[in-house]
Amino acid sequence: MSQHAITAVHFKDEKIDLVAIHPVVEKEFGSTEFALGTAQRISVGECADLLAAGEEVCLARRTESHAWEVICDVNLLPGGAGITGVDIVGRPNDALQKLPSWG
């Protein structure tokens, strides 16, 4: 289970520069839904540092029951210069760009 979840992004010059990241605080055994702590806005570089340090990060969305569920995992881009959502077999996808944005 991921330790952190990204729920929104901020774009600057058509690139993601900040993410809204939450700690995962509660997960019910056998459920795909979980609860999140308070969000922090961090840079993509800081998120990459979390991943490089071995932290698990996922993308999450709200469910109809107002809980959160995993969309996909997040991995470092080659060279560690950025982050991307990945599908179940580890291939990059565009889920990160499709998250809600602010600003």
Side-chain angles (χ1 to χ4, degrees), residues 71-91:
I71 298 170
C72 66
D73 288 331
V74 175
N75 283 354
L76 287 170
L77 288 170
I83 60 173
T84 185
V86 293
D87 64 18
I88 196 161
V89 293
R91 291 181 301 221

Side-chain angles (χ1 to χ4, degrees), residues 16-37:
I16 297 171
D17 66 335
L18 300 171
V19 297
I21 192 166
H22 308 249
V24 174
V25 295
E26 181 182 322
K27 181 178 186 314
E28 188 174 320
F29 182 74
S31 174
T32 61
E33 296 180 346
F34 51 90
L36 299 177

